[in-house]
Amino acid sequence: MEGGSYSPPQMNHVIKQLIDVVEDCPDFPRKGILFKDIMPLFRHHELVDQTCTLLKDKILNLSKVADVIVGVEARGFLIGPIIAQKLGVPFVALRKKGKLPRECFSVKYEKEYGVDEFEIQVDALKENENVVVVDDLLATGGTLEAAEKLCAQAKCNVIAHCIIFEIETLKGRQKLNPTPIISLVKYS
């Protein structure tokens, strides 16, 4: 399974391993939230590589070619650069407010448990670039919607959102329609 495209049985094996390594953390970061902790994934370097290869393969199957990967703070920073390297394209960081030097585009957004603000440097993306936004999880869609708005401020095209896990019951996909969403594991 190393490095290239996977057959359906190989892909199913990787997805099963992903499901097995995620740890549920009830009432985190606040009561009533069931947090999906993906950090145990990074104790398994081969699974990280296989996961990023699966996501890279799915990006290559899009109708448009990705020019750049935008990784969402913080977990998008863990897989985004790997995917960008596998695709041979640049990686750009989307950070929380106040973390980037120089002039930035900024957008406030609502997430599952509060309001936050993201920034991206105004010179980080080139006009009309095709962007794939990478994060670990799609829940309500607020984070990825904010990423789309930042890319729009930079006059770029978000051609897909690429995530490992999706919580379908929170209907985040509806908020991002019609942008394609690549996800490997869906929780319902």
Side-chain angles (χ1 to χ4, degrees), residues 55-67 69 87 130-133 158-162 179-182:
L55 293 171
K56 180 246 338 169
D57 289 349
K58 290 181 177 290
I59 291 168
L60 289 173
N61 286 327
L62 293 169
S63 62
K64 296 180 181 174
V65 175
D67 297 316
I69 298 295
L87 289 168
N130 288 331
V131 173
V132 174
V133 177
V158 176
I159 62 167
H161 294 286
C162 182
T179 306
I181 297 168
I182 296 166

Side-chain angles (χ1 to χ4, degrees), residues 11-25:
M11 187 171 82
N12 290 339
H13 178 71
V14 172
I15 290 170
K16 170 144 181 16
Q17 288 181 297
L18 284 170
I19 292 167
D20 291 345
V21 299
V22 170
E23 295 180 14
D24 287 345
C25 301

Side-chain angles (χ1 to χ4, degrees), residues 154-173:
K155 299 182 176 141
C156 290
N157 314 302
V158 176
I159 62 167
H161 294 286
C162 182
I163 56 172
I164 302 172
F165 304 99
E166 179 177 356
I167 302 173
E168 292 180 305
T169 54
L170 295 178
K171 300 183 175 149
R173 186 176 282 262

Side-chain angles (χ1 to χ4, degrees), residues 97-159:
K97 183 173 177 63
K99 301 284 185 174
L100 291 170
R102 302 191 324 270
E103 185 181 0
C104 292
F105 295 119
S106 181
V107 66
K108 288 184 181 178
Y109 69 101
E110 286 190 40
K111 54 186 188 177
E112 299 81 19
Y113 38 85
V115 176
D116 216 335
E117 191 167 353
F118 273 140
E119 295 182 327
I120 195 166
Q121 292 166 320
V122 296
D123 61 353
L125 296 169
K126 296 178 184 143
E127 190 172 332
N128 294 318
E129 281 188 306
N130 288 331
V131 173
V132 174
V133 177
V134 174
D135 203 2
D136 64 327
L137 178 89
L138 171 58
T140 63
T143 300
L144 295 177
E145 183 181 45
E148 268 194 36
K149 289 177 181 177
L150 281 174
C151 291
Q153 287 180 42
K155 299 182 176 141
C156 290
N157 314 302
V158 176
I159 62 167

